[in-house]
Amino acid sequence: MSSPDPAIDANLAVALDALLAEQSVTRAAARLHTSPAAMSRTLARLRRILQDPLLVRAGQTMVPTPRAQALRDEASSVVRRLGALLTPGADVDLAALRSTFTLQAADLVGAALAPGLLRLARQEAPGVSLRFRAEELEAGPALRDGRIDLEIGSIDHVDPETQVEELVTLRMAAAVRPGHPLTEGTLTPVRLAAAEHVVVSRRGRFTGPLDTALAEQDLHRRVTVVLPSHLAAMTLAARSDVVCLIPTALPGAGPSPLTDAVTTLGLRVLDIPLPLPPLTVGMAWHPRHAADGAHRWLRDAVRRTLRAPESAAT
């Protein structure tokens, strides 16, 4: 009568590997930190399952049967694969990493991130490529189905399972061209409201937090143009008399790479004489990437680029 099919038991594979490697019940028991009696019972079970004695006594020692010799390498290989399968992921080999990461961010955030991330990738993971997408996808579903790996910006609409980390908090300031009338004298709410403004809005909205703050002073600004791009708005401010709002570092904080474009365009930054809510830039990802070594490197690279840009140059 044939014996019933054995249930898959990884412990049996580990025991078989130890027994065939040690060719001794006592040594196999010591290797697996169990008792010789328990190992002897396991050997008996293996003999029943495999219908082979596996180890037979020859004087004071035990020798493997031909079937045991044939199984030895395979048993060792299976145990190694089990170990790899059930061991927490090791650090990724960045030098050998070949991957393309897709990040969704506003153009200003993308422009601030790209140089630092590219520098870090060249130094640490030269096989990595970066693809930036505009804020065109609903982040939650796009993260869930893998269309984007990371969302970076003002994270306000997320699914419950989405993991979010705040990176840096900024304040809003006004940016104007050199020689703009607002650069002379004290900037007051009245003078700010009287100037021409450009508003950045992907949805074409004319108003924002500054309008709320001005309304509390019974003031209303004149918005002459709405653009969907921060960089386009800043370029317009550099070439005309419109005022553009830009994010800048909090007082006492180090410089933010998000103001690099301001410097490049030669804009003057003016403190807004009104209380405005701070802007928090964060990153969001799906939890399936939480333990992935390559994705951990990406998140760490974003942190280093936005929180301490000077470290990206080291």
PDB file of all heavy atoms in Angstrom, residues 83-97:
ATOM      1  N   GLY A  83      16.281  29.835   2.212  1.00  0.00           N
ATOM      2  CA  GLY A  83      16.879  30.894   3.022  1.00  0.00           C
ATOM      3  C   GLY A  83      16.768  32.246   2.365  1.00  0.00           C
ATOM      4  O   GLY A  83      16.452  33.251   3.004  1.00  0.00           O
ATOM      5  N   ALA A  84      17.023  32.279   1.060  1.00  0.00           N
ATOM      6  CA  ALA A  84      16.907  33.548   0.334  1.00  0.00           C
ATOM      7  C   ALA A  84      15.468  34.030   0.300  1.00  0.00           C
ATOM      8  O   ALA A  84      15.178  35.225   0.406  1.00  0.00           O
ATOM      9  CB  ALA A  84      17.448  33.378  -1.090  1.00  0.00           C
ATOM     10  N   LEU A  85      14.528  33.064   0.163  1.00  0.00           N
ATOM     11  CA  LEU A  85      13.121  33.425   0.078  1.00  0.00           C
ATOM     12  C   LEU A  85      12.604  34.002   1.381  1.00  0.00           C
ATOM     13  O   LEU A  85      11.808  34.943   1.389  1.00  0.00           O
ATOM     14  CB  LEU A  85      12.300  32.178  -0.299  1.00  0.00           C
ATOM     15  CG  LEU A  85      10.778  32.343  -0.384  1.00  0.00           C
ATOM     16  CD1 LEU A  85      10.409  33.287  -1.518  1.00  0.00           C
ATOM     17  CD2 LEU A  85      10.111  30.993  -0.562  1.00  0.00           C
ATOM     18  N   LEU A  86      13.056  33.456   2.496  1.00  0.00           N
ATOM     19  CA  LEU A  86      12.499  33.810   3.800  1.00  0.00           C
ATOM     20  C   LEU A  86      13.375  34.742   4.612  1.00  0.00           C
ATOM     21  O   LEU A  86      13.138  34.968   5.789  1.00  0.00           O
ATOM     22  CB  LEU A  86      12.232  32.530   4.607  1.00  0.00           C
ATOM     23  CG  LEU A  86      11.246  31.561   3.950  1.00  0.00           C
ATOM     24  CD1 LEU A  86      11.109  30.291   4.773  1.00  0.00           C
ATOM     25  CD2 LEU A  86       9.883  32.222   3.776  1.00  0.00           C
ATOM     26  N   THR A  87      14.416  35.292   3.969  1.00  0.00           N
ATOM     27  CA  THR A  87      15.292  36.240   4.649  1.00  0.00           C
ATOM     28  C   THR A  87      14.904  37.656   4.245  1.00  0.00           C
ATOM     29  O   THR A  87      14.608  37.907   3.074  1.00  0.00           O
ATOM     30  CB  THR A  87      16.762  35.988   4.265  1.00  0.00           C
ATOM     31  OG1 THR A  87      17.126  34.667   4.680  1.00  0.00           O
ATOM     32  CG2 THR A  87      17.685  37.001   4.933  1.00  0.00           C
ATOM     33  N   PRO A  88      14.861  38.604   5.199  1.00  0.00           N
ATOM     34  CA  PRO A  88      14.556  39.985   4.827  1.00  0.00           C
ATOM     35  C   PRO A  88      15.484  40.465   3.722  1.00  0.00           C
ATOM     36  O   PRO A  88      16.664  40.105   3.664  1.00  0.00           O
ATOM     37  CB  PRO A  88      14.797  40.766   6.135  1.00  0.00           C
ATOM     38  CG  PRO A  88      14.620  39.742   7.214  1.00  0.00           C
ATOM     39  CD  PRO A  88      15.115  38.444   6.633  1.00  0.00           C
ATOM     40  N   GLY A  89      14.949  41.286   2.828  1.00  0.00           N
ATOM     41  CA  GLY A  89      15.715  41.741   1.682  1.00  0.00           C
ATOM     42  C   GLY A  89      17.001  42.441   2.076  1.00  0.00           C
ATOM     43  O   GLY A  89      17.022  43.301   2.950  1.00  0.00           O
ATOM     44  N   ALA A  90      18.059  42.060   1.455  1.00  0.00           N
ATOM     45  CA  ALA A  90      19.347  42.698   1.726  1.00  0.00           C
ATOM     46  C   ALA A  90      19.413  44.034   0.995  1.00  0.00           C
ATOM     47  O   ALA A  90      18.598  44.343   0.138  1.00  0.00           O
ATOM     48  CB  ALA A  90      20.481  41.778   1.273  1.00  0.00           C
ATOM     49  N   ASP A  91      20.391  44.840   1.362  1.00  0.00           N
ATOM     50  CA  ASP A  91      20.581  46.105   0.671  1.00  0.00           C
ATOM     51  C   ASP A  91      20.812  45.852  -0.806  1.00  0.00           C
ATOM     52  O   ASP A  91      21.507  44.915  -1.197  1.00  0.00           O
ATOM     53  CB  ASP A  91      21.778  46.850   1.271  1.00  0.00           C
ATOM     54  CG  ASP A  91      21.491  47.333   2.688  1.00  0.00           C
ATOM     55  OD1 ASP A  91      20.302  47.466   3.018  1.00  0.00           O
ATOM     56  OD2 ASP A  91      22.454  47.560   3.436  1.00  0.00           O
ATOM     57  N   VAL A  92      20.197  46.712  -1.608  1.00  0.00           N
ATOM     58  CA  VAL A  92      20.309  46.542  -3.046  1.00  0.00           C
ATOM     59  C   VAL A  92      21.727  46.871  -3.495  1.00  0.00           C
ATOM     60  O   VAL A  92      22.407  47.726  -2.916  1.00  0.00           O
ATOM     61  CB  VAL A  92      19.277  47.452  -3.753  1.00  0.00           C
ATOM     62  CG1 VAL A  92      19.607  48.924  -3.526  1.00  0.00           C
ATOM     63  CG2 VAL A  92      19.218  47.139  -5.237  1.00  0.00           C
ATOM     64  N   ASP A  93      22.198  46.169  -4.518  1.00  0.00           N
ATOM     65  CA  ASP A  93      23.497  46.461  -5.125  1.00  0.00           C
ATOM     66  C   ASP A  93      23.300  47.622  -6.090  1.00  0.00           C
ATOM     67  O   ASP A  93      22.895  47.432  -7.239  1.00  0.00           O
ATOM     68  CB  ASP A  93      24.022  45.218  -5.852  1.00  0.00           C
ATOM     69  CG  ASP A  93      25.409  45.436  -6.455  1.00  0.00           C
ATOM     70  OD1 ASP A  93      25.935  46.564  -6.340  1.00  0.00           O
ATOM     71  OD2 ASP A  93      25.954  44.480  -7.043  1.00  0.00           O
ATOM     72  N   LEU A  94      23.553  48.833  -5.613  1.00  0.00           N
ATOM     73  CA  LEU A  94      23.275  50.020  -6.417  1.00  0.00           C
ATOM     74  C   LEU A  94      24.092  50.057  -7.697  1.00  0.00           C
ATOM     75  O   LEU A  94      23.621  50.528  -8.733  1.00  0.00           O
ATOM     76  CB  LEU A  94      23.539  51.279  -5.592  1.00  0.00           C
ATOM     77  CG  LEU A  94      22.624  51.485  -4.379  1.00  0.00           C
ATOM     78  CD1 LEU A  94      23.041  52.725  -3.611  1.00  0.00           C
ATOM     79  CD2 LEU A  94      21.174  51.583  -4.818  1.00  0.00           C
ATOM     80  N   ALA A  95      25.315  49.563  -7.630  1.00  0.00           N
ATOM     81  CA  ALA A  95      26.164  49.586  -8.828  1.00  0.00           C
ATOM     82  C   ALA A  95      25.587  48.719  -9.935  1.00  0.00           C
ATOM     83  O   ALA A  95      25.782  49.006 -11.124  1.00  0.00           O
ATOM     84  CB  ALA A  95      27.577  49.131  -8.475  1.00  0.00           C
ATOM     85  N   ALA A  96      24.863  47.656  -9.555  1.00  0.00           N
ATOM     86  CA  ALA A  96      24.297  46.744 -10.548  1.00  0.00           C
ATOM     87  C   ALA A  96      22.839  47.055 -10.850  1.00  0.00           C
ATOM     88  O   ALA A  96      22.234  46.408 -11.717  1.00  0.00           O
ATOM     89  CB  ALA A  96      24.429  45.297 -10.061  1.00  0.00           C
ATOM     90  N   LEU A  97      22.260  48.032 -10.167  1.00  0.00           N
ATOM     91  CA  LEU A  97      20.845  48.329 -10.334  1.00  0.00           C
ATOM     92  C   LEU A  97      20.574  48.920 -11.716  1.00  0.00           C
ATOM     93  O   LEU A  97      21.234  49.863 -12.145  1.00  0.00           O
ATOM     94  CB  LEU A  97      20.400  49.320  -9.250  1.00  0.00           C
ATOM     95  CG  LEU A  97      18.929  49.731  -9.258  1.00  0.00           C
ATOM     96  CD1 LEU A  97      18.023  48.524  -9.032  1.00  0.00           C
ATOM     97  CD2 LEU A  97      18.668  50.800  -8.199  1.00  0.00           C
TER      98      LEU A  97
END
